[in-house]
Amino acid sequence: QPAVPVALQPHVARSLLSLQPHAATTHRAPPSRSSLLQLTAATPDEVTFDSPQKGAAATSYYQPLQAGDVLESTPFHRRACAAAVAAAAGIVIKLVVLLNAFQPSLSLAAGLAASAVAGASFADFGSGVYHWAMDNYGNAETPVFGKQIEAFQGHHERPWTITYRQTCNNLHLPALSGLPPLLGFLLFVPNVYWLTFGLFATSLIIFSQELHKWSHTVPRQAPPVANWLQSVGLAVSRRDHLSHHRSPFDTNYCIVSGAWNGVLDATNFFPRLERLIHKLNGIQPRSWTNERFEFDGAEGLRPGGDSSPAATKASV
């Protein structure tokens, strides 16, 4: 059974409240290792921190809503992550070998640094575009992406569940997706700058789900490196990502560093894309319709329960 919930730290509570200064707020202890939490249900009218019930109900409370999903890492999950790590390590070794042929210089260092920054920026931007697409289009029956789409919607209903995922469980799908690009860079790219770009871009895209998990974990229960990365802006912060977990979930999509969120939201990048798509094919995104997937056990998590207008089956 889950550990006894810990109290939310005061500075985290203050940051949560500052996001909704006029909210009528009810405070109860959040789930342990958990997120900032029931912000799935968060609206400008209410923020609620719910404690799990005891016994069997508590075990159910922490389970993912997606049928057949588990929170533990399996041998397959570990093998998938190990393969991605091996491919990334191969690129590092290849870079070391290739760099031995270069004379050390300021221009070489600057080029490698620029390539790394560009790769990290690409990963953050790409995570936002992918997150936006999964949040707004398709359904559980969509070919290839259906399970991912369903998982993203389940995360909106129970965001704290991700904090209980073991690392390889959390990362195995992006690891499998990132393995072909890593192997492509390893086998076919001889340029040190492109190799550096590919290493940083692909590795951070793979690791984005763990950065995402840390943004839902209270500081005292997160690894020290997670708190440090967030404090210096290298990982998406709790405060920034919390803003995404307000219905209709239409801002702050980037989950690597979150550096792109301000620019994309200020320029209405995603709303413009949505209007273009709607003009081309007539499909409305979920950020317009506020449609939500139905999951067994999700009732009561949203304001208004089953009768909430938002709690309709997504059919986009």
Side-chain angles (χ1 to χ4, degrees), residues 250-285:
D250 59 353
T251 62
N252 294 78
Y253 288 107
C254 301
I255 57 172
V256 175
S257 66
W260 274 99
N261 282 326
V263 175
L264 296 176
D265 291 342
T267 58
N268 291 316
F269 178 81
F270 291 115
R272 290 172 188 270
L273 268 183
E274 290 163 0
R275 288 193 292 270
L276 176 61
I277 292 171
H278 182 258
K279 184 177 180 179
L280 293 174
N281 59 23
I283 295 178
Q284 295 184 356

Side-chain angles (χ1 to χ4, degrees), residues 287-309:
S287 63
W288 295 10
T289 65
N290 206 25
E291 291 176 317
R292 306 275 279 274
F293 279 30
E294 287 300 326
F295 295 93
D296 290 339
E299 54 274 2
L301 294 178
R302 307 163 182 156
D306 290 341
S307 61
S308 171

Side-chain angles (χ1 to χ4, degrees), residues 190-257:
N191 183 283
V192 293
Y193 302 114
W194 279 109
L195 277 173
T196 302
F197 172 87
L199 176 65
F200 274 81
T202 310
S203 297
L204 285 171
I205 287 172
I206 291 172
F207 201 69
S208 65
Q209 271 297 87
E210 199 69 3
L211 299 173
H212 180 201
K213 181 171 83 174
W214 292 345
S215 74
H216 282 279
T217 306
V218 294
R220 67 181 293 182
Q221 295 173 335
V225 67
N227 296 327
W228 180 80
L229 287 171
Q230 291 186 21
S231 71
V232 298
L234 295 178
V236 64
S237 70
R238 297 171 180 90
R239 181 184 177 88
D240 285 349
H241 186 63
L242 184 67
S243 298
H244 174 73
H245 279 272
R246 289 181 179 146
S247 180
F249 314 102
D250 59 353
T251 62
N252 294 78
Y253 288 107
C254 301
I255 57 172
V256 175
S257 66

Side-chain angles (χ1 to χ4, degrees), residues 81-99:
C81 292
V85 169
I91 293 177
V92 172
I93 294 170
K94 183 176 180 178
L95 271 169
V96 171
V97 171
L98 291 174
L99 287 171

Side-chain angles (χ1 to χ4, degrees), residues 1-237:
Q1 290 191 6
V4 176
V6 300
L8 193 66
Q9 294 188 17
H11 69 281
V12 179
R14 285 196 297 272
S15 70
L16 285 169
L17 295 178
S18 67
L19 292 174
Q20 295 186 321
H22 304 297
T25 309
T26 301
H27 300 275
R28 290 192 287 274
S32 69
R33 294 195 61 209
S34 157
S35 66
L36 304 169
L37 3 116
Q38 271 207 171
L39 263 274
T40 52
T43 68
D45 302 314
E46 181 182 19
V47 179
T48 302
F49 298 93
D50 282 333
S51 301
Q53 300 176 22
K54 295 181 179 180
T59 302
S60 174
Y61 184 89
Y62 291 109
Q63 291 307 304
L65 291 171
Q66 193 174 22
D69 196 6
V70 297
L71 301 177
E72 297 76 25
S73 297
T74 67
F76 174 73
H77 297 160
R78 296 187 181 94
R79 288 194 295 269
C81 292
V85 169
I91 293 177
V92 172
I93 294 170
K94 183 176 180 178
L95 271 169
V96 171
V97 171
L98 291 174
L99 287 171
N100 279 334
F102 287 78
Q103 290 294 327
S105 68
L106 184 60
S107 61
L108 175 64
L112 292 173
S115 298
V117 170
S121 181
F122 177 85
D124 190 50
F125 177 78
S127 74
V129 172
Y130 188 79
H131 188 179
W132 162 79
M134 297 296 101
D135 272 5
N136 286 286
Y137 297 101
N139 56 38
E141 305 304 319
T142 300
V144 181
F145 299 104
K147 297 298 286 185
Q148 276 280 291
I149 294 167
E150 186 181 35
F152 272 71
Q153 299 309 305
H155 176 63
H156 285 167
E157 306 305 332
R158 286 182 176 173
W160 60 85
T161 300
I162 193 174
T163 67
Y164 286 87
R165 289 193 181 279
Q166 294 181 346
T167 299
C168 289
N169 174 293
N170 196 33
L171 297 182
H172 77 283
L173 286 177
L176 289 171
S177 299
L179 186 57
L182 284 173
L183 291 175
F185 279 102
L186 175 62
L187 298 175
F188 304 115
V189 177
N191 183 283
V192 293
Y193 302 114
W194 279 109
L195 277 173
T196 302
F197 172 87
L199 176 65
F200 274 81
T202 310
S203 297
L204 285 171
I205 287 172
I206 291 172
F207 201 69
S208 65
Q209 271 297 87
E210 199 69 3
L211 299 173
H212 180 201
K213 181 171 83 174
W214 292 345
S215 74
H216 282 279
T217 306
V218 294
R220 67 181 293 182
Q221 295 173 335
V225 67
N227 296 327
W228 180 80
L229 287 171
Q230 291 186 21
S231 71
V232 298
L234 295 178
V236 64
S237 70

